Short mmCIF file of all heavy atoms in Angstrom, two decimals:
data_model
loop_
_atom_site.label_atom_id
_atom_site.label_comp_id
_atom_site.label_asym_id
_atom_site.label_seq_id
_atom_site.Cartn_x
_atom_site.Cartn_y
_atom_site.Cartn_z
N GLY A 13 31.04 -23.20 -62.39
CA GLY A 13 30.12 -23.27 -61.26
C GLY A 13 29.01 -22.27 -61.24
O GLY A 13 28.29 -22.15 -60.24
N GLY A 14 28.83 -21.56 -62.37
CA GLY A 14 27.74 -20.59 -62.44
C GLY A 14 26.37 -21.28 -62.45
O GLY A 14 26.23 -22.41 -62.91
N THR A 15 25.38 -20.59 -61.92
CA THR A 15 24.03 -21.13 -61.92
C THR A 15 23.50 -21.37 -63.31
O THR A 15 23.87 -20.67 -64.26
CB THR A 15 23.07 -20.16 -61.18
OG1 THR A 15 21.73 -20.63 -61.26
CG2 THR A 15 23.11 -18.76 -61.80
N ASP A 16 22.60 -22.34 -63.43
CA ASP A 16 21.97 -22.57 -64.74
C ASP A 16 20.65 -21.77 -64.86
O ASP A 16 19.88 -22.00 -65.78
CB ASP A 16 21.71 -24.05 -65.00
CG ASP A 16 20.76 -24.69 -64.02
OD1 ASP A 16 20.32 -24.02 -63.06
OD2 ASP A 16 20.47 -25.90 -64.17
N ASN A 17 20.42 -20.84 -63.92
CA ASN A 17 19.28 -19.91 -64.02
C ASN A 17 19.66 -18.81 -64.99
O ASN A 17 20.18 -17.76 -64.59
CB ASN A 17 18.94 -19.33 -62.65
CG ASN A 17 18.43 -20.37 -61.68
OD1 ASN A 17 17.78 -21.33 -62.07
ND2 ASN A 17 18.72 -20.18 -60.41
N LEU A 18 19.45 -19.05 -66.25
CA LEU A 18 19.86 -18.12 -67.32
C LEU A 18 18.65 -17.39 -67.87
O LEU A 18 17.60 -17.97 -68.15
CB LEU A 18 20.55 -18.88 -68.44
CG LEU A 18 21.74 -19.78 -68.09
CD1 LEU A 18 22.24 -20.49 -69.32
CD2 LEU A 18 22.84 -18.95 -67.46
N ILE A 19 18.82 -16.07 -68.06
CA ILE A 19 17.86 -15.24 -68.80
C ILE A 19 18.63 -14.72 -70.00
O ILE A 19 19.69 -14.10 -69.83
CB ILE A 19 17.32 -14.06 -67.97
CG1 ILE A 19 16.73 -14.57 -66.65
CG2 ILE A 19 16.29 -13.27 -68.77
CD1 ILE A 19 15.48 -15.37 -66.75
N VAL A 20 18.15 -14.98 -71.21
CA VAL A 20 18.91 -14.64 -72.41
C VAL A 20 18.13 -13.73 -73.33
O VAL A 20 16.90 -13.76 -73.37
CB VAL A 20 19.39 -15.90 -73.15
CG1 VAL A 20 20.28 -16.75 -72.27
CG2 VAL A 20 18.21 -16.70 -73.67
N ASN A 21 18.87 -12.93 -74.09
CA ASN A 21 18.23 -12.00 -75.04
C ASN A 21 17.73 -12.74 -76.28
O ASN A 21 18.01 -13.93 -76.46
CB ASN A 21 19.15 -10.86 -75.41
CG ASN A 21 20.26 -11.32 -76.34
OD1 ASN A 21 21.02 -12.23 -76.00
ND2 ASN A 21 20.39 -10.70 -77.48
N ASN A 22 17.01 -12.04 -77.13
CA ASN A 22 16.34 -12.64 -78.26
C ASN A 22 17.30 -13.36 -79.23
O ASN A 22 16.90 -14.34 -79.87
CB ASN A 22 15.53 -11.60 -79.01
CG ASN A 22 16.38 -10.53 -79.64
OD1 ASN A 22 17.13 -9.83 -78.96
ND2 ASN A 22 16.31 -10.40 -80.96
N SER A 23 18.51 -12.86 -79.39
CA SER A 23 19.43 -13.45 -80.35
C SER A 23 19.84 -14.87 -80.00
O SER A 23 20.31 -15.63 -80.87
CB SER A 23 20.69 -12.58 -80.48
OG SER A 23 20.38 -11.28 -80.89
N LEU A 24 19.66 -15.25 -78.74
CA LEU A 24 20.03 -16.61 -78.34
C LEU A 24 18.86 -17.58 -78.44
O LEU A 24 18.98 -18.74 -78.05
CB LEU A 24 20.60 -16.60 -76.90
CG LEU A 24 21.91 -15.80 -76.76
CD1 LEU A 24 22.45 -15.90 -75.35
CD2 LEU A 24 22.95 -16.30 -77.75
N ARG A 25 17.78 -17.14 -78.97
CA ARG A 25 16.67 -18.07 -79.29
C ARG A 25 17.00 -18.69 -80.66
O ARG A 25 16.41 -18.45 -81.67
CB ARG A 25 15.36 -17.32 -79.35
CG ARG A 25 14.15 -18.23 -79.50
CD ARG A 25 12.87 -17.43 -79.48
NE ARG A 25 11.70 -18.27 -79.82
CZ ARG A 25 10.74 -17.92 -80.62
NH1 ARG A 25 10.73 -16.74 -81.20
NH2 ARG A 25 9.74 -18.75 -80.86
N SER A 26 17.99 -19.54 -80.60
CA SER A 26 18.60 -20.07 -81.83
C SER A 26 19.02 -21.51 -81.66
O SER A 26 19.68 -21.87 -80.65
CB SER A 26 19.84 -19.21 -82.17
OG SER A 26 20.70 -19.87 -83.08
N ASP A 27 18.67 -22.36 -82.59
CA ASP A 27 19.07 -23.77 -82.53
C ASP A 27 20.58 -23.91 -82.52
O ASP A 27 21.11 -24.85 -81.91
CB ASP A 27 18.47 -24.53 -83.73
CG ASP A 27 16.96 -24.70 -83.64
OD1 ASP A 27 16.42 -24.56 -82.52
OD2 ASP A 27 16.35 -24.96 -84.67
N ASP A 28 21.28 -23.00 -83.19
CA ASP A 28 22.74 -23.06 -83.21
C ASP A 28 23.30 -22.93 -81.81
O ASP A 28 24.24 -23.63 -81.40
CB ASP A 28 23.32 -22.00 -84.12
CG ASP A 28 22.88 -22.15 -85.55
OD1 ASP A 28 22.91 -23.28 -86.06
OD2 ASP A 28 22.50 -21.16 -86.19
N TYR A 29 22.74 -21.98 -81.04
CA TYR A 29 23.17 -21.79 -79.66
C TYR A 29 22.84 -23.00 -78.80
O TYR A 29 23.67 -23.50 -78.01
CB TYR A 29 22.50 -20.52 -79.09
CG TYR A 29 22.68 -20.34 -77.60
CD1 TYR A 29 23.90 -20.00 -77.06
CD2 TYR A 29 21.59 -20.45 -76.76
CE1 TYR A 29 24.07 -19.80 -75.68
CE2 TYR A 29 21.72 -20.25 -75.39
CZ TYR A 29 22.98 -19.92 -74.85
OH TYR A 29 23.10 -19.74 -73.52
N PHE A 30 21.60 -23.50 -78.90
CA PHE A 30 21.18 -24.65 -78.10
C PHE A 30 22.11 -25.86 -78.36
O PHE A 30 22.53 -26.55 -77.41
CB PHE A 30 19.75 -25.05 -78.43
CG PHE A 30 18.73 -23.94 -78.31
CD1 PHE A 30 17.59 -23.93 -79.09
CD2 PHE A 30 18.93 -22.88 -77.44
CE1 PHE A 30 16.66 -22.92 -78.98
CE2 PHE A 30 18.00 -21.86 -77.32
CZ PHE A 30 16.85 -21.88 -78.12
N GLN A 31 22.39 -26.10 -79.62
CA GLN A 31 23.21 -27.27 -79.97
C GLN A 31 24.66 -27.07 -79.51
O GLN A 31 25.30 -28.06 -79.09
CB GLN A 31 23.14 -27.50 -81.49
CG GLN A 31 21.77 -27.96 -81.95
CD GLN A 31 21.60 -27.91 -83.45
OE1 GLN A 31 22.55 -27.64 -84.18
NE2 GLN A 31 20.36 -28.08 -83.95
N ALA A 32 25.18 -25.86 -79.63
CA ALA A 32 26.58 -25.62 -79.24
C ALA A 32 26.80 -25.80 -77.73
O ALA A 32 27.85 -26.27 -77.32
CB ALA A 32 27.00 -24.22 -79.68
N VAL A 33 25.80 -25.42 -76.96
CA VAL A 33 25.92 -25.57 -75.50
C VAL A 33 25.49 -26.98 -75.07
O VAL A 33 26.11 -27.60 -74.21
CB VAL A 33 25.07 -24.53 -74.75
CG1 VAL A 33 25.13 -24.74 -73.22
CG2 VAL A 33 25.54 -23.12 -75.10
N GLY A 34 24.44 -27.48 -75.69
CA GLY A 34 23.80 -28.73 -75.28
C GLY A 34 22.50 -28.42 -74.56
O GLY A 34 22.50 -27.84 -73.49
N SER A 35 21.39 -28.78 -75.20
CA SER A 35 20.09 -28.42 -74.63
C SER A 35 19.88 -29.03 -73.25
O SER A 35 19.13 -28.45 -72.42
CB SER A 35 18.95 -28.85 -75.57
OG SER A 35 18.99 -30.25 -75.82
N GLN A 36 20.56 -30.13 -72.94
CA GLN A 36 20.40 -30.76 -71.62
C GLN A 36 20.91 -29.84 -70.51
O GLN A 36 20.50 -30.00 -69.34
CB GLN A 36 21.12 -32.10 -71.59
CG GLN A 36 22.63 -32.08 -71.62
CD GLN A 36 23.19 -32.11 -73.05
OE1 GLN A 36 22.52 -31.64 -73.98
NE2 GLN A 36 24.38 -32.67 -73.18
N PHE A 37 21.79 -28.90 -70.84
CA PHE A 37 22.35 -27.96 -69.84
C PHE A 37 21.55 -26.68 -69.74
O PHE A 37 21.87 -25.78 -68.96
CB PHE A 37 23.79 -27.63 -70.16
CG PHE A 37 24.69 -28.84 -70.24
CD1 PHE A 37 25.27 -29.21 -71.45
CD2 PHE A 37 24.93 -29.60 -69.13
CE1 PHE A 37 26.10 -30.32 -71.53
CE2 PHE A 37 25.76 -30.73 -69.19
CZ PHE A 37 26.35 -31.10 -70.40
N LEU A 38 20.51 -26.55 -70.56
CA LEU A 38 19.77 -25.30 -70.69
C LEU A 38 18.31 -25.42 -70.26
O LEU A 38 17.48 -24.58 -70.67
CB LEU A 38 19.85 -24.79 -72.15
CG LEU A 38 21.24 -24.48 -72.68
CD1 LEU A 38 21.19 -24.15 -74.16
CD2 LEU A 38 21.90 -23.35 -71.89
N GLN A 39 18.00 -26.40 -69.48
CA GLN A 39 16.58 -26.64 -69.12
C GLN A 39 16.04 -25.60 -68.16
O GLN A 39 14.83 -25.46 -68.01
CB GLN A 39 16.41 -28.05 -68.58
CG GLN A 39 16.70 -29.15 -69.61
CD GLN A 39 15.84 -29.05 -70.86
OE1 GLN A 39 14.62 -29.13 -70.77
NE2 GLN A 39 16.45 -28.84 -72.03
N ASN A 40 16.90 -24.87 -67.46
CA ASN A 40 16.45 -23.78 -66.61
C ASN A 40 16.59 -22.43 -67.24
O ASN A 40 16.39 -21.40 -66.62
CB ASN A 40 17.18 -23.80 -65.26
CG ASN A 40 16.67 -24.92 -64.33
OD1 ASN A 40 15.55 -25.37 -64.49
ND2 ASN A 40 17.49 -25.32 -63.40
N MET A 41 17.00 -22.40 -68.49
CA MET A 41 17.15 -21.15 -69.24
C MET A 41 15.78 -20.62 -69.66
O MET A 41 14.88 -21.38 -69.99
CB MET A 41 17.99 -21.37 -70.48
CG MET A 41 18.13 -20.14 -71.39
SD MET A 41 19.01 -20.55 -72.93
CE MET A 41 17.87 -21.72 -73.68
N GLN A 42 15.63 -19.29 -69.62
CA GLN A 42 14.45 -18.64 -70.13
C GLN A 42 14.88 -17.45 -71.00
O GLN A 42 15.96 -16.91 -70.84
CB GLN A 42 13.59 -18.11 -68.99
CG GLN A 42 13.07 -19.15 -68.03
CD GLN A 42 12.29 -18.53 -66.93
OE1 GLN A 42 11.10 -18.23 -67.06
NE2 GLN A 42 12.95 -18.30 -65.80
N GLY A 43 14.04 -17.09 -71.93
CA GLY A 43 14.36 -15.97 -72.80
C GLY A 43 13.12 -15.23 -73.23
O GLY A 43 11.99 -15.59 -72.87
N TYR A 44 13.31 -14.20 -74.02
CA TYR A 44 12.22 -13.40 -74.54
C TYR A 44 12.49 -13.11 -76.01
O TYR A 44 13.60 -13.25 -76.50
CB TYR A 44 12.06 -12.08 -73.76
CG TYR A 44 13.30 -11.21 -73.84
CD1 TYR A 44 13.53 -10.42 -74.94
CD2 TYR A 44 14.24 -11.22 -72.82
CE1 TYR A 44 14.69 -9.65 -75.03
CE2 TYR A 44 15.39 -10.44 -72.90
CZ TYR A 44 15.60 -9.66 -74.00
OH TYR A 44 16.75 -8.90 -74.08
N ASP A 45 11.46 -12.69 -76.69
CA ASP A 45 11.62 -12.29 -78.08
C ASP A 45 10.38 -11.49 -78.47
O ASP A 45 9.39 -11.44 -77.74
CB ASP A 45 11.72 -13.56 -78.99
CG ASP A 45 12.37 -13.25 -80.33
OD1 ASP A 45 12.61 -12.07 -80.65
OD2 ASP A 45 12.68 -14.19 -81.10
N SER A 46 10.46 -10.82 -79.63
CA SER A 46 9.24 -10.26 -80.16
C SER A 46 8.29 -11.38 -80.49
O SER A 46 8.70 -12.43 -81.00
CB SER A 46 9.54 -9.44 -81.42
OG SER A 46 10.14 -8.21 -81.10
N ALA A 47 7.02 -11.21 -80.16
CA ALA A 47 6.06 -12.26 -80.37
C ALA A 47 5.38 -12.13 -81.73
O ALA A 47 5.35 -11.03 -82.32
CB ALA A 47 5.00 -12.22 -79.28
N GLN A 48 4.87 -13.21 -82.20
CA GLN A 48 4.07 -13.20 -83.41
C GLN A 48 2.62 -12.84 -83.00
O GLN A 48 2.03 -13.56 -82.21
CB GLN A 48 4.10 -14.56 -84.09
CG GLN A 48 5.48 -14.99 -84.53
CD GLN A 48 5.48 -16.43 -85.05
OE1 GLN A 48 4.46 -16.99 -85.41
NE2 GLN A 48 6.67 -17.02 -85.06
N PRO A 49 2.09 -11.71 -83.52
CA PRO A 49 0.70 -11.40 -83.20
C PRO A 49 -0.23 -12.53 -83.60
O PRO A 49 0.08 -13.30 -84.53
CB PRO A 49 0.44 -10.14 -84.02
CG PRO A 49 1.77 -9.57 -84.29
CD PRO A 49 2.70 -10.74 -84.40
N ARG A 50 -1.32 -12.64 -82.92
CA ARG A 50 -2.30 -13.72 -83.22
C ARG A 50 -3.14 -13.26 -84.40
O ARG A 50 -4.29 -12.86 -84.27
CB ARG A 50 -3.16 -13.98 -82.02
CG ARG A 50 -2.61 -14.92 -80.96
CD ARG A 50 -1.16 -14.70 -80.57
NE ARG A 50 -0.80 -15.59 -79.45
CZ ARG A 50 0.42 -15.72 -79.01
NH1 ARG A 50 1.42 -15.04 -79.55
NH2 ARG A 50 0.68 -16.56 -78.03
N LEU A 51 -2.54 -13.32 -85.60
CA LEU A 51 -3.19 -12.83 -86.82
C LEU A 51 -3.03 -13.84 -87.94
O LEU A 51 -2.00 -14.54 -88.03
CB LEU A 51 -2.57 -11.51 -87.25
CG LEU A 51 -2.81 -10.28 -86.33
CD1 LEU A 51 -1.94 -9.12 -86.81
CD2 LEU A 51 -4.24 -9.91 -86.31
N PRO A 52 -3.99 -13.89 -88.83
CA PRO A 52 -3.92 -14.81 -90.00
C PRO A 52 -2.68 -14.54 -90.88
O PRO A 52 -2.12 -15.46 -91.47
CB PRO A 52 -5.21 -14.55 -90.78
CG PRO A 52 -6.15 -14.06 -89.74
CD PRO A 52 -5.31 -13.27 -88.78
N SER A 53 -2.27 -13.27 -90.99
CA SER A 53 -1.12 -12.95 -91.83
C SER A 53 0.14 -13.61 -91.32
O SER A 53 1.02 -14.07 -92.13
CB SER A 53 -0.90 -11.42 -91.89
OG SER A 53 -0.50 -10.91 -90.64
N VAL A 54 0.27 -13.72 -90.00
CA VAL A 54 1.45 -14.36 -89.39
C VAL A 54 1.40 -15.86 -89.68
O VAL A 54 2.43 -16.47 -90.05
CB VAL A 54 1.51 -14.08 -87.90
CG1 VAL A 54 2.74 -14.73 -87.28
CG2 VAL A 54 1.55 -12.57 -87.64
N ASP A 55 0.24 -16.43 -89.50
CA ASP A 55 0.08 -17.88 -89.76
C ASP A 55 0.39 -18.18 -91.23
O ASP A 55 1.04 -19.19 -91.55
CB ASP A 55 -1.33 -18.33 -89.43
CG ASP A 55 -1.68 -18.21 -87.97
OD1 ASP A 55 -0.74 -18.25 -87.14
OD2 ASP A 55 -2.86 -18.11 -87.63
#
């Protein structure tokens, strides 16, 4: 019965996690991660 308002750390930005839980249950989940700078080297 826990809320689906989830805030998760960077390690859970993972397809393995999404698939194991079911993405349909994670539509209110939000997370953060280190961002890719807007630079040609990243692209």
Side-chain angles (χ1 to χ4, degrees):
T15 175
D16 63 357
N17 294 327
L18 306 176
I19 306 292
V20 299
N21 72 303
N22 64 300
S23 299
L24 296 183
R25 188 177 172 223
S26 163
D27 291 341
D28 298 315
Y29 170 70
F30 306 152
Q31 292 167 8
V33 177
S35 58
Q36 69 271 28
F37 303 114
L38 299 174
Q39 295 303 298
N40 284 337
M41 176 185 64
Q42 299 178 82
Y44 60 81
D45 201 352
S46 286
Q48 299 173 19
R50 277 45 175 172
L51 293 172
S53 67
V54 181
D55 295 336

